[in-house]
Amino acid sequence: MNNINHFFLYCAGVHEETLKKYPQEHNKYVAIGATIFFTGLFASLSGGYAMYFVFSGTYLDWLLAIVFGIIWGLMIFNMDRYIVLSINKSKTGGFQFLQALPRILLAILIGIVISRPLELKIFDKEIRENLKTTYIANERAKIDSLNIIFNKKYTFDLTQLKSLTTERDSLDARIKADRQKLNFEIFGNKTTETSGVVGYGPYAKRKELELEKSTVYLDSLRSSIIAKERLILDKQKAEGILNQKGLSNASLDSAVNLAGFADRNSALGNLKFKANGQVDEATANAVTFIGLLFIFLECLPVFVKLLSGRDAYDKAIYNQRIIDEYESDAYTVTEKAAIDHLKDASIDISINKRLKKMNEEIFGINLLICLST
């Protein structure tokens, strides 16, 4: 077997010395090992992609994403390897399924976790467009909200400006009409309000005087409007309304590039709905089935192990486990018997040690008495 086969057998967790006795089983366990390996590889790619957005904008963000992606992939690889190794093929199929059920549920949970970042990459173009739409809508809503607050706060000034503007427009229209009537009077055009006599008569003089007064008042209205507009403009600057601008294409692209994992995940969820709020079944089904595909890939090592029949290698491992357990039990029994057999001798040895210690203490006491006398 070449190095790749050795590696995949390691991934499958087999005992190669035992497997060498059954060469017909090599391909099956190489396939199981390859399944475990590629599941861990997908997990590593998914974790690295997710962590890239977590650390995006920080120093060496790509290096941190690679490191955490490798750690995540190794953790999933080790967990899948343990799940496959822990399935006891010596039991019945139903028992094996019950034994593997918690591991299947765990694999489903892991599959959901690792599938999401990969889905984000698959639908990256659609997510970017959705984020742009969302950012533009949020910016417009922010501007509208500020305008509403400003209008409520400065209702009096805005009402005055509107009243002055209405009066100016009305007066301007009336001056234009009166000027036309004056021209009709001077040039002799007969109407209900003109005499029809050519010349600059008393009516024309009176009309011209009224026009001059109206024009002066119109100029004062325009000056008042300009002053009021400047006042409102200054207040808008103070309130920060003029600082709110629509997002340009460059700023939108920059905002999308800086979008975090949560924003992208929310945008992926929004892809399932159309602009009118109805469900987009095509996109929703695509997202769902891609997620199910990765969940199935995560569960695949367990399914492969469950679907594989009990072979000669499984029996050999089972028999060896029985021998090892029996040998361990026999060793324990032997050691217990030896301890029981040596119990009496141990008691005698302990008694002799205590007597020797007691005699030494008595001798010491007698010696002290002799020296004192």
Side-chain angles (χ1 to χ4, degrees):
M1 294 182 290
N2 55 29
N3 293 331
I4 295 178
N5 285 346
H6 278 295
F7 175 71
F8 286 148
L9 289 176
Y10 167 78
C11 295
V14 299
H15 188 263
E16 290 193 46
E17 293 299 324
T18 304
L19 187 62
K20 287 180 180 179
K21 303 175 183 178
Y22 312 101
Q24 70 276 10
E25 307 295 343
H26 286 178
N27 291 335
K28 181 177 76 172
Y29 286 98
V30 167
I32 293 175
T35 304
I36 296 173
F37 170 75
F38 285 111
T39 302
L41 180 62
F42 277 121
S44 181
L45 294 174
S46 174
Y49 184 72
M51 287 299 172
Y52 176 76
F53 290 107
V54 173
F55 296 106
S56 181
T58 60
Y59 181 67
L60 294 179
D61 48 3
W62 58 272
L63 181 60
L64 293 172
I66 292 174
V67 172
F68 278 93
I70 292 174
I71 294 174
W72 175 254
L74 290 175
M75 185 187 72
I76 298 301
F77 167 79
N78 185 65
M79 187 175 296
D80 286 340
R81 189 167 179 265
Y82 167 74
I83 289 173
V84 171
L85 285 173
S86 62
I87 297 176
N88 190 349
K89 297 300 293 182
S90 64
K91 304 296 183 179
T92 62
F95 184 86
Q96 290 180 39
F97 179 77
L98 291 177
Q99 186 185 27
L101 184 59
R103 296 167 177 82
I104 293 174
L105 296 177
L106 179 61
I108 291 173
L109 178 61
I110 295 172
I112 294 173
V113 173
I114 69 172
S115 67
R116 201 61 173 178
L118 295 176
E119 290 175 358
L120 293 177
K121 184 58 179 177
I122 292 172
F123 293 98
D124 181 66
K125 183 178 179 181
E126 292 79 6
I127 288 173
R128 293 177 70 88
E129 292 301 321
N130 186 273
L131 285 174
K132 288 181 180 180
T133 303
T134 302
Y135 290 160
I136 291 173
N138 291 340
E139 189 69 16
R140 289 176 178 172
K142 184 178 180 181
I143 294 174
D144 292 341
S145 178
L146 288 175
N147 284 328
I148 291 172
I149 295 173
F150 181 85
N151 292 339
K152 289 182 179 179
K153 188 174 182 179
Y154 299 102
T155 302
F156 178 75
D157 292 321
L158 293 172
T159 303
Q160 267 194 333
L161 178 61
K162 184 178 180 180
S163 177
L164 290 172
T165 304
T166 302
E167 186 178 1
R168 180 201 61 189
D169 294 340
S170 176
L171 181 60
D172 188 38
R174 189 167 68 250
I175 289 174
K176 289 179 180 179
D178 289 345
R179 196 176 299 281
Q180 187 178 20
K181 292 176 184 178
L182 178 61
N183 291 332
F184 284 168
E185 178 66 24
I186 294 174
F187 293 105
N189 293 331
K190 178 64 177 175
T191 65
T192 57
E193 297 182 6
T194 57
S195 63
V197 179
V198 178
Y200 192 74
Y203 177 80
K205 291 179 181 179
R206 187 175 70 255
K207 205 67 176 175
E208 187 175 21
L209 182 61
E210 292 177 356
L211 282 173
E212 289 177 356
K213 292 180 180 179
S214 297
T215 302
V216 171
Y217 183 61
L218 178 62
D219 291 338
S220 67
L221 277 178
R222 287 172 175 169
S223 299
S224 299
I225 290 172
I226 292 173
K228 183 62 69 173
E229 287 177 343
R230 287 176 178 174
L231 177 64
I232 292 175
L233 185 63
D234 291 337
K235 291 181 178 180
Q236 286 178 333
K237 289 180 179 179
E239 295 292 336
I241 293 179
L242 298 182
N243 296 331
Q244 302 297 324
K245 300 179 181 179
L247 296 173
S248 63
N249 290 332
S251 58
L252 274 175
D253 291 335
S254 177
V256 170
N257 291 333
L258 294 176
F261 185 83
D263 288 343
R264 290 177 175 271
N265 185 54
S266 177
L268 180 59
N270 293 335
L271 292 180
K272 299 180 181 180
F273 302 96
K274 298 179 181 178
N276 56 8
Q278 294 181 349
V279 177
D280 187 349
E281 294 185 0
T283 305
N285 291 336
V287 174
T288 300
F289 283 118
I290 289 175
L292 290 175
L293 174 62
F294 286 110
I295 292 173
F296 174 76
L297 289 176
E298 175 58 33
C299 298
L300 193 58
V302 182
F303 291 152
V304 169
K305 185 65 175 179
L306 286 175
L307 293 175
S308 62
R310 186 182 180 191
D311 52 41
Y313 170 78
D314 290 322
K315 292 180 181 179
I317 292 296
Y318 175 71
N319 293 334
Q320 185 61 46
R321 184 179 295 114
I322 292 175
I323 293 172
D324 293 339
E325 291 175 356
Y326 181 81
E327 183 179 1
S328 177
D329 293 339
Y331 176 78
T332 303
V333 171
T334 302
E335 289 297 313
K336 286 182 177 180
I339 293 171
D340 291 338
H341 185 72
L342 295 173
K343 185 182 296 183
D344 294 336
S346 299
I347 293 173
D348 294 336
I349 293 172
S350 179
I351 292 172
N352 292 331
K353 286 182 178 179
R354 290 180 179 273
L355 288 173
K356 183 179 179 180
K357 183 177 181 181
M358 188 181 300
N359 291 330
E360 290 176 352
E361 291 176 352
I362 293 172
F363 176 78
I365 293 171
N366 292 331
L367 182 61
L368 288 173
I369 293 172
C370 291
L371 293 174
S372 62
T373 58

